[in-house]
Amino acid sequence: MELDQLITYKFREIKSSLSAYLTQVLPSYRISPVMMYTLEFLRKHPDCIAVDIANEFGLTRGAVTQLLDKLEEHGLVVRKPHPTSRRSLSIQVTDHGNALINEILAAYNKKIEQLFINYSKEELATLKQLLEKLPL
């Protein structure tokens, strides 16, 4: 296997493992992966509207409405009048939603850290340096 193919293969394996870890963590918080991804998206884009979520995740407007209804029902988001568009509602993560995200991410990060238990401090420093170069 060429070096480039090995690297891309390993990144796909990492993505798969990370998705599995999230799937293992979320059930105890009673939210689905799409709910979690939406909450994280909303934290990064505090003034977004429903169509932004639809475009980001490739969902229909109806699916986004159902998703937001469920998040709002759990007290994780609120819909407010948009500051610049009278026809749209701004969707914002509540304090409860932020606390839940932080709690989930702490548990998720703990699982991810298991990938690195056999690395030395020097290896972790090198890995960190290489990852910082990625254009993400």
Side-chain angles (χ1 to χ4, degrees), residues 13 21 23 26 34 45 64 67 80-81 87 93 116 124-125:
E13 276 190 321
Y21 290 166
T23 303
L26 289 179
V34 72
H45 305 91
V64 171
L67 174 63
K80 296 181 176 181
R87 296 183 341 176
V93 180
F116 305 106
L124 289 172

Side-chain angles (χ1 to χ4, degrees), residues 39 42 46-48 76-81 83 90-94:
L39 289 170
L42 289 170
D47 289 326
C48 85
L76 304 174
V77 300
V78 292
R79 296 178 227 195
K80 296 181 176 181
S90 175
I91 303 135
Q92 297 170 351
V93 180
T94 63

Side-chain angles (χ1 to χ4, degrees), residues 23-128:
T23 303
Q24 292 167 15
V25 166
L26 289 179
S28 62
Y29 296 97
R30 295 193 283 209
I31 69 168
S32 67
V34 72
M35 291 169 75
M36 180 64 187
Y37 296 138
T38 302
L39 289 170
E40 285 191 291
F41 179 77
L42 289 170
R43 280 208 326 188
K44 290 177 188 170
H45 305 91
D47 289 326
C48 85
I49 58 176
V51 72
D52 297 328
I53 295 167
N55 292 337
E56 178 69 16
F57 300 110
L59 300 172
T60 64
R61 289 182 182 189
V64 171
T65 298
Q66 288 180 337
L67 174 63
L68 293 175
D69 286 347
K70 192 174 265 188
L71 289 169
E72 201 167 37
E73 200 176 284
H74 286 80
L76 304 174
V77 300
V78 292
R79 296 178 227 195
K80 296 181 176 181
H82 194 275
T84 58
S85 173
R86 293 188 307 177
R87 296 183 341 176
S88 300
L89 293 173
S90 175
I91 303 135
Q92 297 170 351
V93 180
T94 63
D95 289 342
H96 175 59
N98 278 312
L100 182 67
I101 292 169
N102 292 337
E103 196 175 325
I104 291 169
L105 289 177
Y108 183 45
N109 290 343
K110 202 171 217 174
K111 286 203 81 71
I112 293 170
E113 286 171 7
Q114 294 173 5
L115 291 171
F116 305 106
I117 58 173
N118 293 322
Y119 285 69
S120 68
K121 285 185 181 183
E122 294 78 21
E123 288 171 324
L124 289 172
T126 300
L127 179 59
K128 181 179 175 186

